[in-house]
Amino acid sequence: MGGREERKDPGKWVEGIIKDFINRSPENTLKNPANERAWDNPLVGFSNGEDPLYQQYKEKYVGAFHWTPLEVFQMAFPQAKAEAAELTVISWILPQMEKTKSDLRKEKLYPSESWARARIFGEEANVKLRKHVVDTLMASGIEAVSPMIFPRWEMKVSERYGFASTWSERHAAYAAGLGTFGLCDGLITPKGKAMRCGSVIAKMKIAPTLRLYEDHHAYCLFYSHGTCGKCMARCPADAVTKNGHDKQKCIAYVNMTRTYVTSNFGFEGYDCGFCQTGVPCESKIP
């Protein structure tokens, strides 16, 4: 390892890389005339590559196609010798800005312009953040890969959950103590459900973030207290019911918004996000 801070507290060093990019980089923008920020100050957490959750995702929940951290690392660095316990999964949460949440809160059928911009241009910034973290670590001699931008990442169909993928950043964030799942499948974090995730796997030792929960639905009022269900009423596609989240209805609706976004906002985009705003878990753990 290189710098003094990196050697002294690698977790704090990595957290600084992520927060400095979001809080200082001009890439964090909605690309609107006001050049507003896409994301608020991030949350960062860590999990170990040997965490049993990753094997459970593969064997019990998502499917055999779902990568463990070691599998991704070995694909990216086939010549490197590494064990799962030597890997750290770095996870982050990018909270939506208050104005973006407020804009969508007022809508009932189609996404607001700022929300659609966050989905397209904000995610562009997230992709650049993933690359920035990988490049910074690699420049310090630390092998690192971001699964979501790894060429072999792909969508799959899970027998149990329908649409799925070879790596899930929400599941990595759950493992890193950053939040639990809600009725609509969104991740409820200390900054709420209106957010996006990111992750990088690195061959470095960082102490895992403490998980303050055991139940994967612990922060959802519907599951934990039998109350709320506000995300059901917010969903314009009727894709959220007391039985959970219908991914096919959800994806069909999101795809339908493409025409609206292009014709009304002047850029190619899409999104929904209604279940993330106007609900008790929008900006906090309720």
Side-chain angles (χ1 to χ4, degrees):
M1 290 188 176
R4 185 180 301 170
E5 184 180 3
E6 178 186 340
R7 291 193 300 270
K8 185 178 178 182
D9 190 338
K12 188 175 180 182
W13 174 64
V14 169
E15 184 174 350
I17 294 168
I18 295 163
K19 290 189 172 183
D20 283 352
F21 183 91
I22 291 301
N23 292 325
R24 298 180 184 181
S25 172
E27 301 292 351
N28 181 20
T29 174
L30 293 178
K31 293 189 177 179
N32 58 6
N35 198 33
E36 294 172 301
R37 283 164 54 107
W39 308 117
D40 211 339
N41 192 38
L43 298 176
V44 181
F46 308 99
S47 58
N48 186 265
E50 201 176 38
D51 192 311
L53 274 176
Y54 290 109
Q55 204 61 40
Q56 290 173 24
Y57 294 158
K58 185 178 190 70
E59 294 176 359
K60 294 176 61 178
Y61 300 110
V62 185
F65 58 81
H66 195 76
W67 296 331
T68 65
L70 182 59
E71 287 173 329
V72 192
F73 187 84
Q74 288 176 332
M75 283 188 283
F77 303 99
Q79 306 303 320
K81 293 180 180 179
E83 295 182 5
E86 297 178 280
L87 304 178
T88 291
V89 182
I90 303 159
S91 295
W92 60 82
I93 301 298
L94 301 181
Q96 295 276 8
M97 299 297 290
E98 178 54 41
K99 183 181 181 300
T100 302
K101 293 184 288 188
S102 175
D103 287 349
L104 187 64
R105 221 179 287 140
K106 300 166 188 171
E107 302 296 331
K108 298 190 184 307
L109 190 59
Y110 292 107
S112 62
E113 180 175 350
S114 59
W115 190 272
R117 284 183 175 275
R119 178 63 186 85
I120 303 304
F121 306 118
E123 183 55 23
E124 283 182 5
N126 196 14
V127 169
K128 289 174 181 175
L129 172 57
R130 294 183 186 104
K131 291 177 179 175
H132 174 68
V133 173
V134 168
D135 290 346
T136 305
L137 294 178
M138 293 287 286
S140 292
I142 301 167
E143 292 160 319
V145 58
S146 180
M148 287 296 290
I149 57 174
F150 187 60
R152 291 169 68 176
W153 180 91
E154 60 181 325
M155 293 295 296
K156 293 278 191 176
V157 176
S158 165
E159 220 173 276
R160 185 169 179 176
Y161 293 108
F163 293 115
S165 60
T166 48
W167 179 261
S168 166
E169 294 192 306
R170 285 180 303 127
H171 285 73
Y174 172 81
L178 290 174
T180 76
F181 296 91
L183 180 62
C184 70
D185 282 345
L187 193 75
I188 302 170
T189 78
K191 292 288 186 78
K193 192 166 55 176
M195 58 84 204
R196 288 190 71 78
C197 305
S199 63
V200 163
I201 298 165
K203 189 180 179 183
M204 63 189 304
K205 292 302 289 282
I206 298 177
T209 307
L210 184 65
R211 284 198 289 269
L212 300 176
Y213 43 77
E214 293 182 6
D215 180 357
H216 67 288
H217 286 138
Y219 295 163
C220 177
L221 292 175
F222 181 85
Y223 287 116
S224 62
H225 291 77
T227 61
C228 192
K230 294 285 179 64
C231 56
M232 290 189 280
R234 279 287 285 166
C235 179
D238 294 321
V240 185
T241 68
K242 62 182 181 180
N243 296 317
H245 176 217
D246 186 322
K247 292 183 181 181
Q248 288 189 313
K249 277 187 177 181
C250 180
I251 290 172
Y253 187 83
V254 168
N255 285 331
M256 185 272 293
T257 66
R258 291 176 186 272
T259 302
Y260 177 85
V261 170
T262 303
S263 59
N264 286 273
F265 305 143
F267 61 91
E268 290 188 15
Y270 58 92
D271 206 14
C272 179
F274 284 92
C275 60
Q276 297 178 28
T277 59
V279 292
C281 54
E282 175 188 297
S283 302
K284 62 182 180 180
I285 299 168

